[in-house]
Every structure is written in C-alpha cells, then in structure tokens.
Amino acid sequence: MHAEDSKKTLYVVGIGPGGRDQMTIRADRVLRECSVIVGYPVYLNLVREDYPKARFLSTPMRQERERCLMALKAAAQGERTAVICSGDSGIYGMAGLTLELAGEFPEVEVSVIPGVTAAVGGAAVLGAPIGHDFAVISLSDLLTPRETIEKRLRAAGEGDFIVCLYNPASRNRSGYLEWACRILMEYKDSGTVCGLIRQIGRQGEEAQILSLSELRHAQADMFTTVIIGNKSTREERGRMVTPRGYTNG
Amino acid sequence: MHAEDSKKTLYVVGIGPGGRDQMTIRADRVLRECSVIVGYPVYLNLVREDYPKARFLSTPMRQERERCLMALKAAAQGERTAVICSGDSGIYGMAGLTLELAGEFPEVEVSVIPGVTAAVGGAAVLGAPIGHDFAVISLSDLLTPRETIEKRLRAAGEGDFIVCLYNPASRNRSGYLEWACRILMEYKDSGTVCGLIRQIGRQGEEAQILSLSELRHAQADMFTTVIIGNKSTREERGRMVTPRGYTNG
C-alpha cells in the first residue's frame, strides 16, 4: 500500500497541528518531492515558504470535494501531488473523501501520510491528559445530525471516557460547547479537570486548565481543541494528567 | 510550557509507530540534542543508529516507574535527557507517569513532545477508517479492571463510535480480542468493516480488512492495532473508509 515511488500517486498528508516542525520526517520528504500542493488557504500559508518549488492550489473553505478533485486531476496528469490537512490526514481530514472520489481516477494511487492530530498535539501542551481510554467527538453539525452528536456525548459520559472535542465552535455556531458541557455534567462531576488549547504549535498558542463547570462558559473558536478528563484526571503543578495507575500499583 | 532551551529539561518524546521517518521533525531535533536517551529496549533499538552521540539507558518491560526515575535523575544531573515512547508520548505512554514523579525533582522541567499514535498510523495504512468520531480503548487489564474495560466497550458500541483497540493481546492474555468483539456485536452488525494492522511502519508491516465476525477469530499480538468501523464504514477498492458525509451531501 506504500507507493511513494509510483508515478501517479496522490499523497494525502497530515502536517500536524502547528508549523513545519510538527510534521513527520516522512511528510516533509513527500512534500519536498511534490510539484503541486493542494489545500485550504490557511494551511498552505503555513508551509508555503518551506516548499518553494511547488505550485500551490486551493479552493475556499467547505469546497473539500472540489479540492480533492483538483488534486486527483493534477495527479492523473502526472504531477507529483499532495493534498495537505491540518493535524492528521484521516481524522476529520481529506483522506476519506479522496479515497471515495479516487474511483474515477483508476490510474492514481492514493497514499495516506498520517500526522499528529490536534487532540494529541494539544494534550502534550497541557501535560498528559489522554493517558487512558478516550473518545474524540466533533461538535460540528454540518455533516452529522445533532442527535447523533448528543448520543455520542452521552455514551462517552456513560463510559467515563476522557473526551476530546473538535470544532467546539465556529463563526456560525456558538453555544455548542456549553451544550456539550451540560450533557457531560449529567455523567461527570462539575469539578472534572478540563483543558482548552488554542492555536496549538502556532503563534498565539494558549492553554488553560479549568473545571467542567468553568469550561461551560469558556470562549472557543474553530482553532480551539477541548479535552475533558475522566474521574481520575487531576492537575499536577499546572499540568493536566490522567494516570494509567502505575503510581497506585 | 515550551522550554527546549532550558538547562534541566526532561523530554518525553513520542517517536511514532515505526522507524525514524514516522517521528516529527521536532522530536528528531530534540533527540539529536540529547546526551542520554532512556526507553524500553525494543524502541531504543529502532533509533539507536540515528543518534550515535547519545548514551542509551533502559529498564526491562513493566519497569516504567524505574525508567522514568532513571530519566529524571539524569536530567537533574544536568544531562540533556529524553524518554522515548512508541507512537505518542501521552496515549498510554510515559508522559503522565513522568509528570507524576517529577514532583520530587523540582529543578527539572518536563516537556512533552507528541507523536503519531498507533491508531492514526495504522488508520493511514488501512485507508481512512477514523474519518469520524472514535473511541480508543486498551484491552490490557494490567492497570484497569476488566469491568471498566467492558463498560467502555459497551458505551462505545452504544454511541456507534469507530473503536480503536490497543493491546488486543499479549503473551499472557489471549481471548481478549474475541471477548471484546462479542461485546461489540451486541451493538454493531456482525458485518461491520474492521481492520487489523501489525508492525505499523516497520519491517513485516501487515494490514487486513475483515468483518467484525471474522475479527473475533483473528490472531493478534502486542504489536497489533485493531480498528472497528461504525455503521457507515465500508471497503472501497481494498481500503477501509469511514465517510464524513461529503459525498452524500
């Protein structure tokens, strides 16, 4: 399934949560060899200077389908092409859509290059909050019915999972984080240790540790990742830590 | 919280699921600057040749506490020290334990460097199976009561999460994967598309796509990661894909 030497390969590359140094050595090597790099404009700007030989193509936000087709066409024309995604390429990323659309381009092989997703990058900034079983849930109801999101929040609460929330808010959606916190407070103590990270690994990075009841009223935007602890999560000298149990054993 | 220039810093570094090219550029830079690298022998061997200037220290398996203390002591003595973990440093990794034990070494700052965790690396090999909400659950009952694991499996089933299983088996534990599949089959269709990856990014890498009822009888070991789809997951030309919904919209 690895075809980094094939002529007509489209790479779907996760560039990690921040700038170039948060991507893997493999992702960097792949991008260096590409003549076309496709992505959402904000992410292209993060890497543009690092790959001066590539042509950069983009489509506006939400036009993910057009972006994938643009990349598949470039690859089919023999360009060494990559689609880049913030964080990982598969987690709410472009890998799935690219693989779905690739059926129309049988000559193109799709190679998925993983990256550090926001929950993992954000966790490292906070300390070690996801040291045990966790659930990742997107609060975006653009493609998922709100009842499905609520069902998953309740299931994650029921199972005492650590919960990582993606897309806690956007320009057109406010109040979703408060809604999610209220649901989780039916299962988790209001004092549960939580963390909030903005602009992971980028200029303006901010991290905050707070209780679940405080999180309910916190400000979030589309560059925010939220981590809600399980019942063992605690604050240790300013870091958020969920133990696996070693120190108890 | 970033103190890569501080004199007494202990780095807890996730090296990704495979060899050196699956680690981030930042992780590689940190390891290059270290005089002492501490880790489980199997992982040290993966990177030993890449950092010829470092001294390598280890303790046997399960002696994680001793390994962290060894690293904290080296850092306290002024050695530029890293503890390395396979995959990410925080997800079932050493970051939490290190932060817990660091209280005895107030002069040492702990810096957590994230990495690509097995679920993310394995997903990329399979295609794009974790394109939507997912839960990560370890089947190891070494530090977690089996009832807690069962509760989480049931909650993940109830919420129709994609489920990533870590530690599906070990030398002393067999039958756990079958047990987990049987529980999940109370919530998920027996034909649910699943994937199994061994030795991600290493020599002998193997990936397999199979149904949940087939997975029940599959062979797994401590180097295997398992991904169980949600009700939308499907196989597309040999790849495992969970759509976010774009092509339906």
Side-chain angles (χ1 to χ4, degrees), chain A residues 92 99-100 125 133 237 247, chain B residues 92 99-100 133 237 247:
Chain A
Y92 312 115
L99 286 167
E100 288 179 64
V125 177
D133 304 336
R237 296 175 304 284
T247 47
Chain B
Y92 312 114
L99 285 167
E100 289 178 64
D133 304 335
R237 296 174 306 282
T247 47

Side-chain angles (χ1 to χ4, degrees), chain A residues 233-248:
Chain A
T233 305
R234 52 181 192 256
E235 188 173 345
E236 295 250 6
R237 296 175 304 284
R239 313 294 280 271
M240 182 177 173
V241 178
T242 305
R244 287 184 64 185
Y246 291 119
T247 47
N248 312 325

Side-chain angles (χ1 to χ4, degrees), chain B residues 54-65:
Chain B
R55 257 190 316 139
F56 290 85
L57 303 177
S58 68
T59 63
M61 203 178 170
R62 296 207 180 161
Q63 296 196 16
E64 284 86 359
R65 193 186 161 87

Side-chain angles (χ1 to χ4, degrees), chain B residues 86-109:
Chain B
S86 168
D88 177 46
S89 44
I91 298 176
Y92 312 114
M94 308 282 282
L97 182 58
T98 307
L99 285 167
E100 289 178 64
L101 295 171
E104 298 163 43
F105 300 84
E107 71 276 36
V108 177
E109 168 122 14

Side-chain angles (χ1 to χ4, degrees), chain B residues 33-50:
Chain B
E33 291 166 358
C34 282
S35 53
V36 172
I37 299 178
V38 181
Y40 176 54
V42 172
Y43 304 134
L44 289 184
N45 288 339
L46 287 173
V47 300
R48 201 181 286 272
E49 291 179 10
D50 298 313

Side-chain angles (χ1 to χ4, degrees), chain B:
Chain B
M1 292 189 184
H2 293 297
E4 290 181 24
D5 301 321
S6 154
K7 263 181 203 155
K8 294 198 171 176
T9 302
L10 173 59
Y11 301 95
V12 191
V13 179
I15 63 167
R20 179 166 164 274
D21 78 336
Q22 298 249 46
M23 75 172 74
T24 65
I25 292 174
R26 182 175 170 217
D28 178 52
R29 192 184 59 224
V30 164
L31 291 180
R32 252 191 266 209
E33 291 166 358
C34 282
S35 53
V36 172
I37 299 178
V38 181
Y40 176 54
V42 172
Y43 304 134
L44 289 184
N45 288 339
L46 287 173
V47 300
R48 201 181 286 272
E49 291 179 10
D50 298 313
Y51 307 103
K53 281 188 287 188
R55 257 190 316 139
F56 290 85
L57 303 177
S58 68
T59 63
M61 203 178 170
R62 296 207 180 161
Q63 296 196 16
E64 284 86 359
R65 193 186 161 87
E66 292 69 23
R67 209 177 300 151
C68 288
L69 287 171
M70 184 186 263
L72 283 160
K73 276 177 204 157
Q77 285 161 9
E79 298 276 5
R80 221 175 156 87
T81 306
V83 183
I84 61 167
C85 311
S86 168
D88 177 46
S89 44
I91 298 176
Y92 312 114
M94 308 282 282
L97 182 58
T98 307
L99 285 167
E100 289 178 64
L101 295 171
E104 298 163 43
F105 300 84
E107 71 276 36
V108 177
E109 168 122 14
V110 176
S111 177
V112 182
I113 314 285
V116 172
T117 188
V120 172
V125 177
L126 290 164
I130 48 176
H132 210 299
D133 304 335
F134 64 99
V136 174
I137 301 173
S138 168
L139 294 189
S140 168
D141 57 1
L142 210 62
L143 302 159
T144 306
R146 201 153 161 175
E147 305 78 65
T148 305
I149 303 173
E150 176 166 346
K151 189 177 77 172
R152 291 195 174 138
L153 288 167
R154 292 191 180 279
E158 191 71 59
D160 191 33
F161 282 98
I162 303 149
V163 180
C164 307
L165 298 178
Y166 281 50
N167 307 306
S170 72
R171 222 169 303 172
N172 307 311
R173 285 185 301 115
S174 67
Y176 279 54
L177 178 57
E178 188 184 346
W179 168 74
C181 288
R182 265 194 289 112
I183 292 170
L184 287 171
M185 280 173 73
E186 295 180 32
Y187 305 87
K188 289 176 182 280
D189 192 275
S190 61
T192 299
V193 178
C194 301
L196 194 144
I197 325 100
R198 288 193 70 243
Q199 300 284 7
I200 302 161
R202 296 185 193 147
Q203 210 161 17
E205 180 183 274
E206 276 175 65
Q208 196 184 344
I209 295 176
L210 65 184
S211 71
L212 182 51
S213 62
E214 289 165 341
L215 179 66
R216 213 173 17 163
H217 306 296
Q219 289 298 314
D221 62 20
M222 60 180 290
F223 298 107
T224 306
T225 303
V226 171
I227 301 181
I228 296 158
N230 68 17
K231 67 181 183 204
S232 307
T233 305
R234 52 181 193 256
E235 189 174 344
E236 295 250 5
R237 296 174 306 282
R239 314 293 281 269
M240 181 177 172
V241 177
T242 305
R244 287 185 64 186
Y246 292 119
T247 47
N248 311 325

